[in-house]
Amino acid sequence: MAWVQTAGPGMMSALAEVERAPAGLPDVSWSHPEAGLRASGYGAAATREGGSLRAALNGLDMPQGLPARIPGPWLGAAAFSGALGPDWAGFPALQFRLPALLAWTEGSRHFLAAFGEGAQHALDKARAGLEDGSARSGRAAPSVRMRPRSGDRSRWSALVSRALAAIRSGTLDKVVIARAIDVEADAPLDPGVLLTALEGRYPTCRAFLVRGSGGVFLGATPEILCTVEGDQVQADALAGSARPEEAEALPGSGKDLREHRWVVDHIARALSGIAEHVHRPPEPRVRALANVVHLHTPVVARLAPGRGIADVAAALHPTPAVGGVPAGAALRFLAEHEGLDRGLYAGVVGWVGEDRAELAVALRSALIRGCRARRVVGAGVVEGSSPDAEWEETELKARALLDALGVRP
């Protein structure tokens, strides 16, 4: 066992290496299975919530003496836009927390850190719980079925047609519209089991979980909003989609290339206001996931002096990959016509540390409440889109969560 106890700026902390990770559902978690990283937070020693994303992430209190590669210690999420509606009761629209207890894994090594008043006692109690060998017992997977909603397909067709009319009038170049897919099980769904399934199916994605009062929001997203290491920033443009068997044709699709270019342009412009030496590859690459392929362009830059993580997140969110172009007009269109309480879907989720952060766009996700789950999935509408093609794209993207839930086509 390696022990460290240190006093941060107004914050006590204690750290230990342990033999295994805790069982039990955390309040917030983040993982990148391919890299062997996972972080789980329990309770809260401090929180930032409400207000703007920039204000929430600016000047976070960072305990000292933690390992350089720790994912966090602040973890949290922010909504796609503004306040949450009734579907998201029990969730804050924006919250990042310094957990009272943070557990993280690097490869085969496991660590615990406790923060706040009584940190040492909390750490001792957590270690004792691990050593007594207690763990959750398994249970049979419930049977899950779709809950179709009357008129979904016609509402979708009308929304796509309205978006195309706005594009042809010159009001919009692109707008990303979304729809909800509801499922119901014959027993309460286990968020921990579902998260583990997502990690196993999509190891290159970032899996996340945020617990609210009476529900859990979780997913495995392929889209990184930004990674920050000191003054180095990378933001990923991920737009343009196809089935895996259509991967070779995707880079030649004019519609998908236009959609992708707008996202790349937005990221480059946003970073140019806060960073230097912004670099974007001339052509996108194809990123393959288990059930879908995307056009992908990494944009890298060096932050200007005096700029930080809060500036990067505020400049990039929301990207045209989940909103549209022009951004303001697209967000107004969605507020007026989409008729969907997006909540944390397409928002920001991830962790923030000392001059380091990894924040993602909360996609390929679901809101779990007892026996029910709501999956929100979207598609970008541009000139050349059709209601049927965009519906099929959402069906393709929905499989990530539906397969993990055990819902078959």
Side-chain angles (χ1 to χ4, degrees), residues 208-226:
F208 60 88
L209 179 149
V210 178
R211 183 154 34 164
S213 176
V216 173
F217 177 60
L218 54 74
T221 179
E223 186 166 349
I224 296 296
L225 182 74
C226 64

Side-chain angles (χ1 to χ4, degrees), residues 14-77:
L15 168 70
E17 183 171 354
V18 294
E19 293 183 359
R20 62 187 178 90
L25 191 68
D27 294 302
V28 59
S29 75
W30 173 267
S31 68
H32 184 194
E34 184 179 58
L37 289 174
R38 174 198 285 269
S40 299
Y42 304 82
T47 60
R48 284 282 186 90
E49 60 183 58
S52 69
L53 184 60
R54 184 193 302 274
L57 299 184
N58 190 38
L60 293 174
D61 189 5
M62 295 294 173
Q64 303 300 305
L66 296 176
R69 304 304 302 174
I70 182 174
W74 288 82
L75 298 95

Side-chain angles (χ1 to χ4, degrees), residues 365-382:
S365 53
L367 174 62
I368 310 293
R369 291 192 187 274
C371 297
R372 295 186 174 184
R374 167 161 289 185
R375 168 84 168 92
V376 179
V377 62
V381 178
V382 298

Side-chain angles (χ1 to χ4, degrees), residues 132-281:
D132 73 11
S134 60
R136 292 187 302 164
S137 59
R139 64 188 188 205
S143 174
V144 186
R145 62 179 179 85
M146 299 281 289
R147 295 178 60 228
R149 297 186 298 176
S150 176
D152 268 2
R153 188 69 181 259
S154 60
R155 282 192 295 269
W156 176 262
S157 295
L159 182 58
V160 174
S161 297
R162 189 174 289 119
L164 288 170
I167 290 168
R168 289 164 188 154
S169 74
T171 305
L172 296 173
D173 293 316
K174 168 190 174 179
V175 64
V176 181
I177 59 174
R179 66 184 180 95
I181 299 173
D182 292 331
V183 302
E184 185 171 25
D186 60 1
L189 295 163
D190 188 327
V193 170
L194 178 55
L195 187 67
T196 299
L198 290 172
E199 290 174 333
R201 289 171 180 267
Y202 309 105
T204 64
C205 294
R206 274 40 170 204
F208 60 88
L209 179 149
V210 178
R211 183 154 34 164
S213 176
V216 173
F217 177 60
L218 54 74
T221 179
E223 186 166 349
I224 296 296
L225 182 74
C226 64
T227 57
V228 181
E229 288 279 352
D231 65 355
Q232 302 299 305
V233 180
Q234 177 171 318
D236 285 356
L238 199 71
S241 307
R243 297 180 181 276
E245 59 269 23
E246 300 167 346
E248 290 187 7
L250 184 59
S253 167
K255 168 186 172 295
D256 290 288
L257 286 170
R258 284 199 310 275
E259 183 180 350
H260 185 80
R261 185 178 64 250
W262 282 320
V263 178
V264 176
D265 289 346
H266 166 85
I267 291 173
R269 282 196 304 269
L271 291 180
S272 67
I274 59 173
E276 304 166 342
H277 307 293
V278 179
H279 173 72
R280 48 189 287 181

